[in-house]
Amino acid sequence: MPGGRAVRRGRVRQGPEDSRVLRVLVLAITLLSVGAVAAVGAVDLPTAAASFLLVPAGSWLAYRRRGKANTGLKAVIALGLVAALGAFVARVQQAQSVDEARHTLGSLFVWVQVLHAFDLPRRRDLAFSVLAGVALVAEAGSLSLDATFGLFLLPFAVLCGLWLYLSDRARGRDEGGAGRLVRSRHAGRRVRRIAAPARTVAGALAAVAVAGAAAFLATPRFPGTLVIAPPFSLVSRVAVPGFSGGVVNPDVPSSGSGSVEAVRGVGYPGFGSEVDLRVRGVLSDRLVMRVRSPEAAFWRGQAYDTFDGTTWTAPGSEIVKVGKQFGEYGQAVLVPITDPPGLGTRTLVQTFYVERRQPNIVFAAFQPREVYFPADFLAVDGFGSVRSPIILEPETVYSVVSEVPVTTPGLLRSSEGVPWPEEIVSRYTQLPAGLPARVVELAHRIADQEPTVYDKVMAVQRWLRENTRYRLDIPPDPPGADAVDHFLFERREGYCEHIASAMAVLLRAVGIPTRFAVGFDAGDRNLLTGYFEVRESDAHSWVEVFHPGVGWVEYDPTHEVPIADPGAGSRFIAPEVFAAIGRWLSGVIPDPVKAAVGALGSAWPWAAVATVIAAGMWLLRRRGGRRARRPPPVGAEAAFEAMCRTFERRGSPRPASRTPSEHLDALLASDPLAREASADLERIVRTFERERFSPRPPAEEEVEAALAAAAGLPSRPSTR
Amino acid sequence: MPRIRLRRRAATLPVGALLLFLVGTNVQAGWLFVLSSLLLGATVAGVVLPPLMVRRVRVIRRAPAEAFVGERVGVDLVVENPARRPRLSVAVRDPHVAPAAAFVPWLGAGDTVTASTIRLAARRGVVEGGPVVVASSAPFGVAEARSSVPAGGGRTVIFPRVVPVAALPLLEPGVRGGEDAVPSHARGEGYDFLGVREYRRGDSLRRVHWPSTARHGSLVVREFEQDRPARLVALVDTWADAGRTDGHAETALDLCCAAAASIALAALGAGHGVALAAGRRGEVAPPAEMERRDALAFLAELEAPGGVSLAVALEAVGGAIQGPAALLLAFASWRPNSARALLPAVGRLTARGVRVAAAVVDPASLRPEAAVLSARELRELVSELATEGVDVYPIRPEEDLAACLAGEPSVVAG
């Protein structure tokens, strides 16, 4: 059979794959995928190095022996696979978590690729290698924490696109075997033979990118609840000396009571035993941790219940140490629920990848239920905050399962009338002894008219939004001043700690139990990795308000974070993408342009629509113009037009009324070049006339000769 | 508008995307969503782009006007792309004469590519220059767009297979007809001198007339009075047909036509006049003398069912046979061709001195469209025809036609 193919049941049975291009492409895909898993640390260096040596060697051997049975080689490969599987099983049994097993799986995949590279006789074997490469890249993608993975994914996607194209083309060649291309005539330069298909394939890849982007935006995001494998790991263990459950913040120097310091270039000073509202400073944008979570939340670190006018403390918070038990997904610290469960919660699984040294606080969405942490025990205070006996060093990984209250305004309003627990009221409505009366009066003025606790909270939040401004570089408070009073009545500018403290004090002033919480804002979600990237500047404070029958509910007066269920809108990443694009545009668009857009006021949507319509009409007109233009001439017509162009440049244009023969006669009479090349011109014109007018068109060879003659005209000596 | 046919990749890519989406959701890995989206993007682009690859592609077919069954026919497909964008992986599928495909990896803007194909003319007939299918699954092989494009190129007449016929008694010299046969003064190799003519290739050197040759300066041969039947009438039965399962091999009617063509061309080569007749559209035209090409074209164009049984056609043709003639019946053993139906007309012809031969195709091993005679009935037919003086040549589809026509007449196997 031609090409060594045999037909069975109507399908083409493949013979050995002879295409070196396809084989080199698959080799590149394989090496790139191995490089990707090596880059994310899923395989150790010796394995990666061995792969980079063995895969090309195996591919070369597979090419050389593609037509042979290779029975012995297959047996050796099978033994190798068994050995790789055995090593995988052994390592899995030693793995501390499923996450570690994932790394082991990466090694197994790599060895499968390496061994398979030695036996690639047919195209479908090459396809398997590509498929295994996709699996490896997916493995690497699942382990990658940052955008550098894109450096692997982009070329990998391009190579896979080329594979799809070239393998399909090879299939087409197989099926079209009865046809033989004997002649090919190209109107343009030879370089187009490569450039034109390359441009078309590049255009197709661009189409993939556009369609892929649309799919990326339209793909819903769901919580990972099918199979949960909370990872945790520890790189180095730095124990907290004399750990008794307190917070140790190694980045913040201890300060004497009552002193006012400017904090610059160190960690957030609020993680510790107190939060002093007199401390000033600017936090850096350094990445402190990445959080894998299906949705944004406050990564809560601590809470405070006592305020003395300048400083929040938690003097009466009892601390208990909790050891590991068997949790829902394995050995975990089961955090005692300190607050009564609400009417409804949803489970939120978060994994924290520490990038910069942090205090011994186990940050988590409120309120944590199970902590998968690389320590034998943890300490939990009375506010549900968790501390570890070790400092959180970079590359520490831990996971937390939280029960996040699901609240709606209706639910919160309906809790009105439920009696408050006495101990909650007495503990969380404390006010500074010297609190000025005007603060209390302001609180009553804002909240007394509101019917429910929820409406009072909203009223205070609204008042803060309308009457205060967020600002980081504020001057120090006057000595002896109450920080909240000064913020509310004098400066009216401050940052999250002032705003949250003011809200807590105002609410407590009207008898609503409130506490002050610190931690990190959710951070910006990396649109590619899906991880929330938390920076030092995301350190934040907010308030927690107790609703009878519901529990503690977080309110953020600084950002006015909605408290209700995130709803279906958050299931899609498109809003975040558009917001990110908006932020980027806001950064790159010059201020005058932004001012002009601002001047349009409410009419800007209409202006945008008009711009889009105008652009569309311009594109349509351009496309119509292209269509109206004649397609490029081919064959003898191309030769004739080239001839006409040559003589037009020499001052002998062809009038529209002149026939080709008449034009030839006129050229012979007037132009010495025409006389010199009369035989060529005769050939061109006669071939063109036969192609255009004769029932028997010229042969391909004649057309080729005419094209060659036309191409040679400009290089004749008389032309110059 | 091109039709779209999804390939296997149209399923595997989305399934892969779904798997990555599920894993990505489970482990909350954003890169897996990117990878999943790229697979979906490739699927969408793979479905949207192929129709653009076949748009405005033109095909011109260059096929020979005539060919014989069994010949390898060269058909050129000139593929043009008058558009401003290149076309990738263009496949041209052409059923003309025999299904063939040509694959053009890329077709630049304004380019013309000529694909030369060789096809086996497996069956006789008239192949009109119909459309070709232009298809492309570029760039990713996810879906194939197919567009039917008129290719022109005129029609190709596939003549029946012609096998060498030697020593066929029907055409042998010296065989006279019945008692009322009247010799005609036709050219041949009889015994009475008729005249001289220029030498033709194949003439025996013994017939060179040397005096005339000397006078003319070129070879001149003697011509003698013809004493064989002056005219061969071939009647082909078009009652029904029977083909093979693959549809690409000769049918029973093809074999009848091949037998008739072989004998007719042998007769023409020997200088006999040849007239052909067959039932066509319910009628039988009187047999008309034809030259070689017309005879072949007549046989190439025959189709079943012709609407006339052989017995009826025989009555019509028999009445039109005048003077010394031989009659060739080429038919398959359909049930209407029983001995009882054919013998009366055959008997009348043999009684008039018409030499009759029959090429009988047994379609039992094929897929007959109509009822056929049983083996016993076929043997009975052959036997009775032989008894009537008819030379019978049984033709079995699985055997070589030349061998069948070269065998002893009136021999019926098993």
Side-chain angles (χ1 to χ4, degrees):
Chain A
M1 297 294 280
R5 292 184 294 115
V7 177
R8 180 182 288 178
R9 293 176 191 167
R11 282 189 181 171
V12 177
R13 190 182 171 192
Q14 289 180 351
E17 178 59 62
D18 295 328
S19 169
R20 293 181 188 178
V21 174
L22 278 180
R23 288 180 177 273
V24 169
L25 193 59
V26 170
L27 174 63
I29 287 172
T30 305
L31 291 179
L32 201 55
S33 60
V34 173
V37 288
V40 297
V43 292
D44 51 29
L45 194 61
T47 303
S51 305
F52 276 96
L53 289 175
L54 290 174
V55 168
S59 300
W60 179 79
L61 188 67
Y63 173 67
R64 293 298 302 268
R65 300 181 60 84
R66 65 192 182 280
K68 300 191 168 87
N70 295 326
T71 310
L73 184 63
K74 288 180 196 297
V76 172
I77 290 172
L79 285 175
L81 286 173
V82 170
L85 191 63
F88 166 73
V89 172
R91 289 180 62 184
V92 161
Q93 287 174 339
Q94 295 172 358
Q96 288 191 355
S97 68
V98 179
D99 198 53
E100 276 190 42
R102 230 167 5 137
H103 287 72
T104 310
L105 191 65
S107 288
L108 177 65
F109 281 170
V110 167
W111 281 113
V112 169
Q113 276 284 53
V114 170
L115 293 168
H116 186 250
F118 283 84
D119 186 30
L120 301 170
R122 292 179 298 273
R123 195 176 306 142
R124 70 175 177 194
D125 299 306
L126 294 172
F128 177 83
S129 272
V130 174
L131 193 64
V134 172
L136 273 179
V137 165
E139 164 87 7
S142 72
L143 295 171
S144 173
L145 296 177
D146 54 30
T148 54
F149 176 70
L151 297 177
F152 291 93
L153 183 61
L154 183 64
F156 182 81
V158 171
L159 291 179
C160 284
L162 284 175
W163 158 261
L164 286 174
Y165 166 60
L166 291 175
S167 61
D168 179 61
R169 197 177 75 168
R171 182 179 187 272
R173 277 189 205 276
D174 291 348
E175 290 182 352
R180 189 168 61 90
L181 302 186
V182 291
R183 282 182 295 271
S184 167
R185 194 169 75 226
H186 302 281
R189 294 173 297 163
R190 282 185 79 83
V191 68
R192 292 176 57 215
R193 292 188 179 192
I194 298 172
R199 275 203 301 268
T200 306
V201 173
L205 292 174
V208 171
V210 170
F216 183 73
L217 294 178
T219 303
R221 305 295 198 269
F222 298 108
T225 53
L226 298 177
V227 180
I228 303 171
F232 62 91
S233 67
L234 186 68
V235 175
S236 60
R237 183 183 293 267
V238 179
V240 175
F243 178 67
S244 60
V247 174
V248 177
N249 190 345
D251 282 344
V252 177
S254 58
S255 58
S257 177
S259 66
V260 179
E261 293 193 8
V263 178
R264 194 173 293 274
V266 297
Y268 179 58
F271 301 139
S273 57
E274 60 182 32
V275 177
D276 191 337
L277 300 190
R278 296 167 298 176
V279 174
R280 300 287 184 268
V282 178
L283 294 170
S284 74
D285 278 335
R286 283 181 301 204
L287 188 69
V288 294
M289 58 186 176
R290 291 186 171 91
V291 184
R292 190 174 69 191
S293 170
E295 64 184 61
F298 288 133
W299 317 126
R300 183 177 182 268
Q302 290 177 268
Y304 299 91
D305 61 350
T306 304
F307 183 59
D308 64 1
T310 57
T311 305
W312 284 95
T313 54
S317 177
E318 62 282 3
I319 294 172
V320 293
K321 291 183 180 177
V322 185
K324 275 192 172 176
Q325 299 175 52
F326 198 78
E328 189 174 353
Y329 310 113
Q331 288 289 319
V333 172
L334 307 186
V335 180
I337 300 295
T338 54
D339 300 302
L343 294 178
T345 59
R346 66 173 176 279
T347 303
L348 187 66
V349 182
Q350 318 124 69
T351 301
F352 295 79
Y353 298 83
V354 179
E355 297 287 337
R356 183 173 167 74
R357 191 168 63 164
Q358 291 298 299
N360 63 331
I361 296 174
V362 178
F363 296 95
F366 183 73
Q367 57 183 318
R369 181 173 52 119
E370 296 178 11
V371 181
Y372 295 81
F373 196 85
D376 296 332
F377 70 94
L378 296 172
V380 183
D381 69 9
F383 309 119
S385 306
V386 185
R387 294 88 188 266
S388 82
I390 55 173
I391 298 293
L392 269 58
E393 292 292 330
E395 298 187 35
T396 299
V397 180
Y398 67 91
S399 298
V400 181
V401 180
S402 297
E403 292 299 326
V404 179
V406 179
T407 57
T408 62
L411 174 68
L412 296 177
R413 287 194 179 99
S414 68
S415 67
E416 202 65 22
V418 178
W420 304 74
E422 186 56 38
E423 66 277 12
I424 293 287
V425 175
S426 62
R427 182 172 182 179
Y428 295 105
T429 55
Q430 172 268 339
L431 288 169
L435 184 68
R438 59 181 180 174
V439 176
V440 180
E441 290 170 9
L442 174 66
H444 284 287
R445 198 165 64 241
I446 295 170
D448 279 355
Q449 302 301 315
E450 303 299 331
T452 65
V453 171
Y454 173 73
D455 292 312
K456 293 179 196 296
V457 173
M458 287 293 107
V460 170
Q461 197 163 277
R462 191 163 53 245
W463 189 92
L464 288 169
R465 185 185 68 213
E466 292 170 354
N467 296 281
T468 62
R469 290 291 176 268
Y470 183 86
R471 187 169 180 177
L472 281 171
D473 53 341
I474 53 173
D477 293 346
D482 183 286
V484 170
D485 177 78
H486 188 69
F487 170 70
L488 287 175
F489 294 99
E490 306 299 332
R491 194 172 63 238
R492 293 210 168 178
E493 287 180 343
Y495 41 87
C496 58
E497 291 168 1
H498 302 99
I499 300 169
S501 296
M503 183 166 176
V505 169
L506 289 171
L507 290 175
R508 286 184 171 192
V510 294
I512 298 174
T514 309
R515 64 190 182 195
F516 182 82
V518 294
F520 283 104
D521 198 354
D524 291 330
R525 189 204 287 260
N526 186 311
L527 301 177
L528 297 175
T529 64
Y531 289 85
F532 290 97
E533 294 180 343
V534 183
R535 303 179 186 281
E536 280 186 344
S537 54
D538 288 319
H540 194 46
S541 57
W542 59 95
V543 299
E544 294 171 348
V545 177
F546 189 83
H547 289 266
V550 176
W552 291 98
V553 177
E554 294 172 330
Y555 291 89
D556 183 13
T558 308
H559 292 160
E560 292 190 347
V561 175
I563 60 164
D565 190 316
S570 70
R571 296 287 184 227
F572 296 90
I573 204 165
E576 293 181 45
V577 173
F578 293 138
I581 293 171
R583 285 196 296 274
W584 177 77
L585 284 176
S586 174
V588 298
I589 291 176
D591 286 339
V593 176
K594 285 192 274 192
V597 173
L600 291 171
S602 61
W604 75 265
W606 296 106
V609 169
T611 306
V612 169
I613 290 174
M617 289 176 67
W618 178 76
L619 280 175
L620 284 174
R621 188 170 175 178
R622 190 161 172 260
R623 191 180 168 85
R626 275 187 185 175
R627 280 185 177 171
R629 282 201 291 274
R630 227 158 44 98
V634 295
E637 185 185 1
F640 180 69
E641 290 205 356
M643 183 195 88
C644 290
R645 279 197 302 275
T646 300
F647 286 98
E648 189 174 345
R649 285 195 292 271
R650 293 174 57 83
S652 302
R654 178 190 168 219
S657 59
R658 195 184 279 172
T659 65
S661 288
E662 289 170 351
H663 189 50
L664 174 63
D665 293 341
L667 292 177
L668 290 173
S670 63
D671 194 309
L673 172 64
R675 284 192 291 278
E676 181 192 317
S678 59
D680 284 344
L681 267 58
E682 188 80 26
R683 175 180 288 120
I684 293 167
V685 171
R686 299 307 164 219
T687 309
F688 172 55
E689 286 177 338
R690 280 182 59 199
E691 182 183 84
R692 178 62 64 90
F693 305 113
S694 170
R696 300 186 64 183
E700 295 286 335
E701 292 79 6
E702 295 175 275
V703 176
E704 295 284 358
L707 284 166
L713 281 177
S715 59
R716 281 182 175 269
S718 300
T719 313
R720 302 187 190 109
Chain B
M1 189 68 182
R3 284 168 293 141
I4 299 287
R5 191 174 70 93
L6 298 179
R7 291 259 185 89
R8 193 189 302 171
R9 286 178 180 176
T12 53
L13 288 179
V15 166
L18 178 65
L19 282 175
L20 288 171
F21 170 75
L22 292 175
V23 175
T25 298
N26 185 34
V27 300
Q28 295 293 309
W31 282 115
L32 297 193
F33 293 118
V34 177
L35 203 52
S36 166
S37 300
L38 284 175
L39 290 182
L40 281 179
T43 309
V44 172
V47 173
V48 170
L49 293 179
L52 302 179
M53 295 296 167
V54 298
R55 201 166 148 255
R56 297 182 65 192
V57 172
R58 294 196 301 233
V59 179
I60 299 168
R61 180 195 296 115
R62 291 178 186 161
E66 296 169 352
F68 280 91
V69 167
E71 277 187 354
R72 297 198 171 272
V73 181
V75 178
D76 286 352
L77 297 169
V78 182
V79 189
E80 294 180 351
N81 173 24
R84 300 185 67 87
R85 294 274 182 273
R87 304 293 188 242
L88 299 178
S89 304
V90 176
V92 181
R93 294 175 193 138
D94 183 16
H96 193 75
V97 178
F103 183 75
V104 183
W106 78 277
L107 196 58
D111 281 356
T112 300
V113 171
T114 303
S116 178
T117 63
I118 303 294
R119 308 167 192 200
L120 177 66
R123 291 195 53 203
R124 69 169 183 107
V126 178
V127 186
E128 297 294 342
V132 297
V133 172
V134 177
S136 176
S137 55
F140 300 130
V142 173
E144 183 183 80
R146 295 174 177 178
S147 186
S148 185
V149 175
R155 68 180 202 166
T156 302
V157 180
I158 310 294
F159 297 144
R161 187 153 52 103
V162 176
V163 298
V165 177
L168 202 63
L170 185 71
L171 302 172
E172 280 177 0
V175 179
R176 290 187 172 274
E179 291 176 355
D180 56 345
V182 180
S184 67
H185 292 278
R187 295 173 185 82
E189 292 192 1
Y191 303 107
D192 302 324
F193 181 71
L194 192 65
V196 294
R197 60 168 172 79
E198 284 189 358
Y199 174 83
R200 292 179 199 150
R201 190 174 179 180
D203 285 339
S204 169
L205 287 177
R206 287 187 298 177
R207 304 217 182 276
V208 174
H209 190 248
W210 295 110
S212 301
T213 301
R215 275 198 301 275
H216 282 83
S218 61
L219 287 174
V220 172
V221 294
R222 290 168 290 176
E223 271 196 315
F224 295 90
E225 178 184 311
Q226 180 181 352
D227 58 356
R228 293 174 301 166
R231 191 165 170 247
L232 171 69
V233 176
L235 175 60
V236 180
D237 179 24
T238 57
W239 176 254
D241 202 355
R244 295 182 199 268
T245 51
D246 58 10
H248 296 308
E250 285 179 300
T251 65
L253 181 56
D254 290 343
L255 288 171
C256 291
C257 291
S262 302
I263 295 171
L265 260 59
L268 281 169
H272 296 280
V274 170
L276 296 175
R280 304 169 82 177
R281 290 181 285 276
E283 295 177 355
V284 183
E289 285 213 20
M290 297 179 189
E291 292 302 319
R292 180 179 187 276
R293 191 199 166 283
D294 294 337
L296 289 171
F298 177 88
L299 292 170
E301 291 172 3
L302 289 184
E303 291 178 354
V308 182
S309 70
L310 181 62
V312 174
L314 193 54
E315 291 288 353
V317 170
I321 296 176
Q322 300 295 328
L327 174 65
L328 170 68
L329 300 175
F331 65 96
S333 56
W334 306 117
R335 183 151 289 283
N337 299 341
S338 64
R340 197 168 62 182
L342 296 184
L343 280 176
V346 171
R348 281 192 291 275
L349 285 167
T350 53
R352 282 166 49 198
V354 177
R355 185 72 189 256
V356 180
V360 184
V361 176
D362 180 7
S365 63
L366 303 174
R367 292 200 312 176
E369 296 170 352
V372 298
L373 296 175
S374 65
R376 185 185 57 79
E377 289 169 324
L378 178 58
R379 279 198 301 275
E380 185 181 307
L381 169 68
V382 171
S383 172
E384 295 195 18
L385 284 173
T387 306
E388 200 64 37
V390 175
D391 297 337
V392 181
Y393 297 92
I395 296 172
R396 289 170 208 88
E398 61 275 11
E399 291 180 3
D400 179 46
L401 178 63
C404 292
L405 293 179
E408 279 295 309
S410 308
V411 177
V412 182

